Amino acid sequence: MNVIIVEDDELMADLLETVVAGLHPAINVFKAFTKREALDLWRGKDPGLFIVDWSLPDGSGLDVLREIRGKDENMPVVMVTGRADRDSILKAAHYGISGYMSKPFSVELLHERLASMLKGVLPEDNDSESLDEMLSRKLESGLQIPTRMDVSGILGLMERAHDLSGAQLAERWQKEASLCARLLEVANRSSFRRTGEPVATVRDAISVMGVPMALSQALALALDSGSAFRSAALADRARQHQAEAEAAGVEAQKIALVLDKKALEFQTAGLLSRMGELAVLNVMDQFVQHGGELTDADIENGLRDWAQKYGNTLKVQWRLPLAIRQMTGAVHYLARGDVRQNLLVMRVAGLIAGGQTDNSECARLLRHLGLEDWLESRKQTSDTGSV
């Protein structure tokens, strides 16, 4: 099912996308920022739901609604707008609006209303779609990454949002890979559009969008219907890859500090190093939830065939700085002749996190970094501390 979101505020459009994409794995989300783009998508995508803002750069959301209703009287159309006066609501109702949400809106309430509206419309299973077909379709729209965020915990943070700083949230969320990824993606879309300069850390991402919007994004992700794994086998694999990403970030941060570098970017690169695997596993779990069956071989083959594609697609979607993209990739592989220091750090971090400290490649790269004795001294310190 295709859903079209029409919203000229890019941060709000991204928030709506997070809410909608999390409702069901069969949903494909498309965004438009103008009346013209909205009508072009409507004609080309045959949507099952339209979410439109009232005010657009080249017209009104009512104009879009009027044109849709001229051809389709039944398609659900929800208006999300800053207008909350009686006259505006009556105007929208005149054109057969299906729902009306005033900004600022409750993410939880919007999620609840959309889920209720689409109940019975979305398919109950995916018997007609193979795993590869589903992975291919999800690669094109609405990629989500599983999250461990707790809804009640985020609601508690929202109650004291005025007391929280971006730095405090960044520290609290530094190990929440899915949320960090989403915040970077949203912030880079907005920041890049305004300045042409992407952000590289979660703290900077929160600074770009503000604490309230960051909290709203976190809540939307936590409400994602596919965020909690139902398959024990897939949950185990996800925990494994999550732990690998966190370990790579920690090790990269340690090495960066020894080399007197800004550690935050290295930690971010490590944290994002398994996003492709996590996104693939999330789609696999959605496949299982809706009637599909997977063997261990299916999981292995799916990760082998799709993880890199998903990872590369996510890096582009997030508009990460090229340097961060390269650092993330270096966790997994680095050409022998490549001696760029930042990439050497990330590759060593990946090897250490993977338990390959005795690997000849690890020793060679540490020599390039001038840290040939560092790892051994760290081991000795650790051994001494455990006595």
Side-chain angles (χ1 to χ4, degrees), residues 6-238:
V6 190
E7 170 62 68
D8 67 327
D9 182 328
E10 197 152 0
L11 287 175
M12 183 61 68
D14 286 324
L15 175 59
L16 290 169
E17 179 188 23
T18 306
V19 174
V20 172
L23 291 170
H24 194 283
I27 289 178
N28 304 309
V29 180
F30 300 91
K31 291 183 293 186
F33 301 98
T34 66
K35 171 187 168 184
R36 180 175 179 179
E37 290 175 358
L39 293 174
D40 286 345
L41 280 175
W42 170 58
R43 297 184 187 103
K45 296 298 182 183
D46 188 26
L49 171 66
F50 227 89
I51 300 175
V52 60
D53 190 14
W54 187 297
S55 301
L56 300 171
D58 57 347
S60 166
L62 282 184
D63 297 333
V64 176
L65 178 58
R66 186 185 302 115
E67 192 143 351
I68 290 173
R69 287 294 179 242
K71 299 285 180 65
D72 188 336
E73 296 181 357
N74 300 314
M75 184 181 66
V77 178
V78 175
M79 184 158 281
V80 180
T81 175
R83 295 171 180 253
D85 59 283
R86 183 173 180 274
D87 287 345
S88 296
I89 295 173
L90 288 175
K91 281 183 182 179
H94 176 72
Y95 291 105
I97 205 76
S98 309
Y100 195 100
M101 292 286 292
S102 299
K103 300 177 186 175
F105 57 81
S106 160
V107 170
E108 195 173 18
L109 180 59
L110 177 63
H111 183 277
E112 181 181 313
R113 286 191 181 179
L114 292 177
S116 176
M117 185 180 298
L118 296 176
K119 190 174 183 180
V121 176
L122 292 163
E124 293 298 322
D125 57 55
N126 63 346
D127 287 342
S128 62
E129 187 175 37
S130 70
L131 176 62
D132 274 353
E133 288 170 339
M134 189 175 190
L135 284 163
S136 179
R137 175 174 62 81
K138 297 299 285 187
L139 189 63
E140 300 300 320
S141 71
L143 283 186
Q144 298 284 86
I145 299 168
T147 179
R148 301 172 298 184
M149 301 296 291
D150 173 63
V151 172
S152 61
I154 298 168
L155 291 173
L157 291 174
M158 295 180 95
E159 290 178 358
R160 54 189 187 90
H162 59 283
D163 294 326
L164 294 171
S165 68
Q168 288 172 319
L169 282 183
E171 183 177 358
R172 176 184 287 267
W173 291 340
Q174 61 182 331
K175 290 188 177 181
E176 292 294 343
S178 58
L179 179 56
C180 290
R182 184 58 177 169
L183 294 177
L184 283 166
E185 176 189 3
V186 171
N188 273 325
R189 286 181 185 175
S190 177
S191 175
F192 193 87
R193 186 167 178 166
R194 292 199 310 267
T195 68
E197 294 295 329
V199 299
T201 69
V202 175
R203 182 184 296 178
D204 290 341
I206 296 173
S207 176
V208 166
M209 69 180 69
V211 167
M213 178 59 75
L215 287 167
S216 293
Q217 282 287 347
L219 182 57
L221 268 183
L223 289 167
D224 178 1
S225 63
S227 65
F229 281 99
R230 307 288 176 86
S231 164
L234 293 171
D236 286 343
R237 292 300 296 268

Side-chain angles (χ1 to χ4, degrees), residues 333-348:
Y333 171 79
L334 185 64
R336 187 177 180 87
D338 195 331
V339 293
R340 286 174 288 179
Q341 192 178 55
N342 286 0
L343 304 192
L344 294 175
V345 169
M346 295 311 304
R347 181 57 185 150
V348 169

Side-chain angles (χ1 to χ4, degrees), residues 240-260:
Q240 174 189 331
H241 288 303
Q242 180 86 33
E244 289 168 351
E246 291 174 6
V250 169
E251 296 298 340
Q253 187 179 36
K254 289 178 181 177
I255 300 170
L257 288 171
V258 172
L259 296 172
D260 199 26

Side-chain angles (χ1 to χ4, degrees), residues 300-321:
E300 291 296 333
N301 293 337
L303 287 169
R304 181 197 65 210
D305 296 340
W306 291 94
Q308 185 174 3
K309 295 176 185 177
Y310 269 60
N312 289 338
T313 298
L314 287 167
K315 288 178 189 177
V316 173
Q317 285 185 3
W318 298 336
R319 288 194 175 95
L320 291 177

